[in-house]
Amino acid sequence: MRKNLITLTITMAFVLGGCSSSSNDMSTAKVGMSNSSNVLLYPSPLQDHAPQFDKIKSTDYLPAFREGIRRHDEELASIINNPSAADFENTISAMESSGAALNHVSRVFFALSSLMSNDEMQKIQQTITPELTNHGDNIYLNQKLFARVEAVYQHRSALKGEQKRLTEIYYNNFLRAGAKLSAAEQAKIRSINASLAKDTAEFSNNILESFKSDVVLVQDKSKLDGLSADEISSLAAAAKSAGKTGYMITLVNTTRQPILAQLTNRDLRQQIWQASSTRAMSNNGPLALKIARLRAEKAALLGYSSWAAYAVADQMAKTPSAVFDILDALVPKAVAKADSEAQDIQAEMAKEGVSFELQPWDWAFYAEKVRKEKYNLDESQIKPYFEFNRVLKDGLFYAMNKLYGIEVKPRPDLPVWNDDVLAFEVFNKDSSSVGIFYLDPYARPGKSGGAWMDELVTQSGLMGNKPVVYNALNIPKPSAGNPTLMTFDEVSTMFHEFGHAVHGLFSQVKYPSIAGTATARDFVEFPSQFNEDWDINPEVISHYAKHYQTGKPIPASLLDKILKSHKFNQGHDTTEYLAAAILDMEWHSVPANTQISNVEEFEHKVLAKHGIDYAAVPPRYKTSYFSHSFSGGYSAGYYAYLWTEVLAADAFSYMNKTGGLSHDNGDKFREAILSKGNSQDLMQDYINFTGGEPNIDNLLIRRGLTE
């Protein structure tokens, strides 16, 4: 997942510059005495302006935000009041060069608020969000500033390349913010924006709080049958760390919980699943209703029939009907495949003399038994061959070297935000530096669920900035002294997120607003999903899949089973994803003034409408903890994972036909896709790589939905 589309929506939509001091005077002459020691108001002296995590104090944030806003206001005022006629350099480029201080503090704060949140960070976010929202409205609803942007836009035919693309994007952003609305309508937009900023932040904080409160405590150790001794020890340590007794099971941020595949105690499985599927409902259920209503009202003010119509208008999909067409086309295939899998599971249950009806909390447990039966494969057999450090260095980094020729070298001298975080520098084939990469691997209290990538410094030719990016995972941390043994899903996630990382690292764009991963939502997941498939490349997997104790390669027979089982349970996985994507689109397709009173009734109604209200396979995210949809940048955009998987599957098929894992292929993909950011038409980028538009058949093959 590309995180700044999620967590930085509030701020990055209007912070118009890069993270460089080259465009702004950050000298002490501009910093008041109270800010003179605030490291967030100075360019970092570290390589590539990597943040000084060891020097940042929580008390720095609010003063830095407010000083950043003040400076940005001054910089924008000088653009507005420029007596010269508006042109690209004195208006669009000048706006790109503005806001460095505000951009810097925003990137650092919103990154760390997801990586290590606490009560203090949440209070800061609640305080600064209205101020940032107001600042954004002051920019995009400023008539004089818009007049200058519009003047440049009207003469865009004289511009070429990035300049023309950037001008069109700025103009469109002003229109979509309400620049041409009446004063009364703009006042309503401001009010809605303020409410949405508050409510979406509260929604997000409620989910973070649920990681602390919506836990399952087990006192009877025998109920944990099916877990390894080390896993049980980790649960005991988690309980102790939280000041509780017994064994504490913390939920991950999806409906399905990985631990359900192991626990033999059905009552405990049901307890965990119900805790997962109902979490945060009392707080976030009403908030979701309010957020959906406010978004619909805002869309109507801007001339759109629904928030979904507004949200996808500037994406590759363009219309909600195009999104529903692709989702609905896959529903019958996915549900049929899931139903076939359910029959296999029921047959396995019958072998054990189990007569109860298959429920969501049973699926993973019995599916694992079916997998063992079909492929003679046990997760406990696999994990010893996927030790974290070996997967990272001999798997991921090895594959990236084979594909792009890059070297990833440790940088232990760089400060990090947590002792478990790893810092690296990435180098090209010619030994020139690409940028800085951080990896935050483990789950911990205060860290958001899931996995994501974000940019701490965006590549920019205008500013002379090299990229600084990070990946965040949520692998359970083993007890002290034990190795980190990964599931194959966790391996795939590591490869996925590094696909985002190289998208940011390989950017070669002049203007930061269109650099790196700043693309349409339904394109940004393409490089990451494309990168996933290298984890099963025979050359790559045989290089990293080695026993953590003996160092012996994974036996050929076991490797063959893993590769054959790679598409196992894809009916379930596709169905739960499609259900979530449909929920997201339906919540945001509701016209303004529609009354909805019950969240769960709405969920069942719209899923049934699309033929996917399948009790045994609930949505990957239900409404009350659907962060993508209700507290981030994927509202009416969760479909993007499927849309981009069409690109990824087709591109990977193309690459396998043209030499597979090779520098020639990697260089071509890097040049055509990863280096371009949003500097030109995205579909044209894809066509430039493969020679044609994508074919959905490769997605069906990838997901095992076709014979």
Side-chain angles (χ1 to χ4, degrees):
M1 180 171 71
R2 170 65 168 99
K3 188 69 173 187
N4 87 347
L5 290 172
I6 305 298
T7 57
L8 299 189
T9 294
I10 297 169
T11 56
M12 300 316 296
F14 58 79
V15 178
L16 303 173
C19 299
S20 168
S21 62
S22 60
S23 63
N24 294 285
D25 180 5
M26 284 192 172
S27 66
T28 54
K30 279 208 169 189
V31 181
M33 292 300 294
S34 61
N35 290 323
S36 61
S37 61
N38 192 328
V39 297
L40 291 169
L41 290 170
Y42 297 86
S44 169
L46 301 178
Q47 181 176 329
D48 301 335
H49 300 303
Q52 295 175 277
F53 293 111
D54 56 336
K55 299 187 185 308
I56 297 169
K57 304 184 297 293
S58 59
T59 53
D60 291 334
Y61 289 119
L62 283 176
F65 269 122
R66 287 165 176 160
E67 174 64 12
I69 290 171
R70 186 193 68 77
R71 293 186 194 180
H72 200 197
D73 284 340
E74 283 187 355
E75 293 157 357
L76 292 170
S78 69
I79 296 170
I80 293 167
N81 297 322
N82 189 332
S84 301
D87 60 26
F88 179 85
E89 291 299 331
N90 68 21
T91 301
I92 306 298
S93 183
M95 291 170 72
E96 280 291 280
S97 298
S98 70
L102 181 55
N103 197 357
H104 180 53
V105 63
S106 296
R107 288 215 178 260
V108 172
F109 174 79
F110 284 100
L112 295 185
S113 68
S114 291
L115 293 163
M116 46 187 297
S117 183
N118 53 36
D119 291 344
E120 190 172 10
M121 294 286 279
Q122 290 179 24
K123 288 177 182 176
I124 294 170
Q125 183 172 347
Q126 290 168 357
T127 300
I128 200 61
T129 293
E131 298 176 36
L132 291 171
T133 303
N134 185 60
H135 179 59
D137 286 340
N138 287 343
I139 295 170
Y140 281 111
L141 300 179
N142 186 298
Q143 293 304 300
K144 291 182 179 179
L145 185 58
F146 175 60
R148 292 187 69 88
V149 171
E150 188 172 31
V152 180
Y153 176 80
Q154 295 298 342
H155 295 89
R156 66 191 182 282
S157 59
L159 302 174
K160 294 180 180 179
E162 287 188 35
Q163 292 187 350
K164 184 177 181 182
R165 177 84 166 174
L166 185 62
T167 299
E168 291 170 344
I169 288 172
Y170 264 94
Y171 180 74
N172 187 51
N173 287 345
F174 271 86
L175 287 185
R176 287 170 59 81
K180 285 197 170 183
L181 297 181
S182 68
E185 289 169 330
Q186 287 188 355
K188 289 181 182 178
I189 288 284
R190 284 179 178 271
S191 176
I192 290 172
N193 287 347
S195 294
L196 282 173
K198 175 181 176 295
D199 294 338
T200 55
E202 184 178 348
F203 190 99
S204 178
N205 286 336
N206 287 342
I207 294 175
L208 283 171
E209 191 61 35
S210 78
F211 287 123
K212 304 175 192 174
S213 57
D214 295 330
V215 298
V216 176
L217 273 176
V218 178
Q219 301 301 330
D220 183 354
K221 184 179 178 180
S222 67
K223 290 184 177 181
L224 300 174
D225 180 59
L227 302 183
S228 69
D230 183 49
E231 288 167 332
I232 293 172
S233 176
S234 293
L235 297 182
K240 183 178 180 181
S241 177
K244 303 177 186 295
T245 59
Y247 307 88
M248 189 172 80
I249 298 170
T250 304
L251 304 178
V252 301
N253 196 34
T254 56
T255 302
R256 186 181 9 160
Q257 300 298 311
I259 198 171
L260 297 180
Q262 299 169 265
L263 292 169
T264 63
N265 188 297
R266 189 173 191 243
D267 288 341
L268 180 57
R269 293 203 307 268
Q270 181 176 358
Q271 182 185 357
I272 293 168
W273 186 86
Q274 288 179 334
S276 173
S277 66
T278 61
R279 82 185 87 157
M281 178 57 81
S282 61
N283 293 324
N284 278 355
L287 271 178
L289 293 174
K290 184 181 178 186
I291 290 167
R293 176 178 56 78
L294 288 170
R295 286 173 173 167
E297 290 176 5
K298 179 176 177 178
L301 280 169
L302 293 167
Y304 292 88
S305 60
S306 67
W307 181 261
Y310 169 80
V312 304
D314 65 344
Q315 304 298 305
M316 295 182 76
K318 302 300 182 188
T319 66
S321 62
V323 175
F324 279 122
D325 283 348
I326 191 172
L327 297 177
D328 287 338
L330 286 173
V331 165
K333 294 181 175 67
V335 172
K337 184 71 172 178
D339 192 55
S340 174
E341 294 165 357
Q343 292 175 34
D344 289 343
I345 290 172
Q346 289 281 185
E348 182 64 30
M349 293 164 66
K351 285 182 187 178
E352 298 187 5
V354 173
S355 59
F356 49 74
E357 185 179 355
L358 175 63
Q359 298 292 337
W361 50 89
D362 299 316
W363 189 291
F365 181 73
Y366 287 102
E368 183 62 21
K369 289 177 177 286
V370 173
R371 186 168 75 133
K372 290 177 186 177
E373 178 73 21
K374 278 193 170 186
Y375 305 103
N376 192 23
L377 189 63
D378 188 330
E379 189 71 56
S380 63
Q381 292 178 284
I382 299 172
K383 289 179 72 172
Y385 291 95
F386 296 142
E387 188 272 325
F388 171 81
N389 288 299
R390 184 161 271 150
V391 172
L392 179 66
K393 297 171 185 175
D394 296 343
L396 177 62
F397 292 168
Y398 171 81
M400 297 300 95
N401 174 263
K402 286 291 184 180
L403 191 60
Y404 303 115
I406 60 173
E407 296 284 347
V408 185
K409 299 180 180 180
R411 285 292 305 271
D413 57 305
L414 290 175
V416 293
W417 55 89
N418 181 279
D419 290 343
D420 291 327
V421 176
L422 304 171
F424 300 92
E425 185 172 1
V426 181
F427 294 90
N428 283 310
K429 297 175 194 174
D430 62 3
S431 298
S432 61
S433 178
V434 177
I436 302 296
F437 168 68
Y438 298 94
L439 177 61
D440 187 344
Y442 295 122
R444 59 177 173 269
K447 187 178 182 182
S448 294
W452 67 92
M453 169 269 186
D454 201 358
E455 298 169 356
L456 293 161
V457 179
T458 296
Q459 179 272 328
S460 169
L462 180 68
M463 312 292 191
N465 284 345
K466 290 182 179 178
V468 178
V469 309
Y470 74 86
N471 282 169
L473 310 176
N474 263 290
I475 301 169
K477 188 174 182 179
S479 55
N482 288 302
T484 302
L485 303 182
M486 303 172 68
T487 67
F488 195 65
D489 282 347
E490 289 165 346
V491 172
S492 295
T493 298
M494 178 186 282
F495 274 73
H496 174 104
E497 296 305 333
F498 200 75
H500 284 306
V502 292
H503 196 186
L505 287 164
F506 290 164
S507 177
Q508 290 293 311
V509 176
K510 182 171 183 179
Y511 301 102
S513 289
I514 53 174
T517 56
T519 69
R521 284 187 308 260
D522 49 13
F523 187 86
V524 76
E525 296 295 334
F526 163 35
S528 55
Q529 291 181 315
F530 170 85
N531 209 58
E532 280 181 39
D533 283 351
W534 294 117
D535 68 359
I536 57 169
N537 176 277
E539 179 184 352
V540 175
I541 197 169
S542 63
H543 194 261
Y544 72 84
K546 297 179 181 179
H547 199 280
Y548 78 99
Q549 290 175 315
T550 66
K552 291 183 178 179
I554 191 169
S557 59
L558 182 56
L559 178 56
D560 184 57
K561 292 174 187 176
I562 293 172
L563 296 177
K564 285 181 177 178
S565 69
H566 189 60
K567 295 173 184 176
F568 177 73
N569 216 38
Q570 279 297 305
H572 174 283
D573 292 357
T574 306
T575 299
E576 69 162 8
Y577 164 77
L578 288 171
I582 286 168
L583 263 187
D584 171 47
M585 285 300 295
E586 285 287 359
W587 273 118
H588 294 104
S589 295
V590 174
N593 301 319
T594 302
Q595 295 299 313
I596 302 171
S597 58
N598 187 293
V599 168
E600 291 178 296
E601 285 181 7
F602 180 84
E603 289 179 339
H604 288 299
K605 178 182 176 181
V606 298
L607 293 178
K609 170 184 168 184
H610 292 271
I612 200 169
D613 190 16
Y614 190 15
V617 186
R620 182 174 297 173
Y621 301 98
K622 290 194 173 185
T623 302
S624 63
Y625 46 94
F626 203 163
S627 298
H628 296 72
S629 187
F630 289 99
S631 60
Y634 279 69
S635 58
Y638 192 62
Y639 77 90
Y641 288 92
L642 184 68
W643 190 278
T644 54
E645 192 177 351
V646 173
L647 303 177
D650 192 67
F652 201 81
S653 174
Y654 167 81
M655 190 173 278
N656 278 332
K657 293 173 184 175
T658 56
L661 189 69
S662 70
H663 283 180
D664 285 346
N665 268 336
D667 289 347
K668 184 178 181 183
F669 189 71
R670 179 174 178 173
E671 168 58 26
I673 304 294
L674 300 178
S675 72
K676 300 301 184 187
N678 193 25
S679 62
Q680 57 191 39
D681 181 77
L682 297 171
M683 182 55 76
Q684 189 59 51
D685 284 345
Y686 185 84
I687 293 170
N688 291 345
F689 176 60
T690 64
E693 294 191 1
N695 185 335
I696 195 172
D697 290 347
N698 288 307
L699 169 67
L700 300 178
I701 294 168
R702 187 179 197 251
R703 283 188 170 254
L705 299 180
T706 187
E707 298 301 329

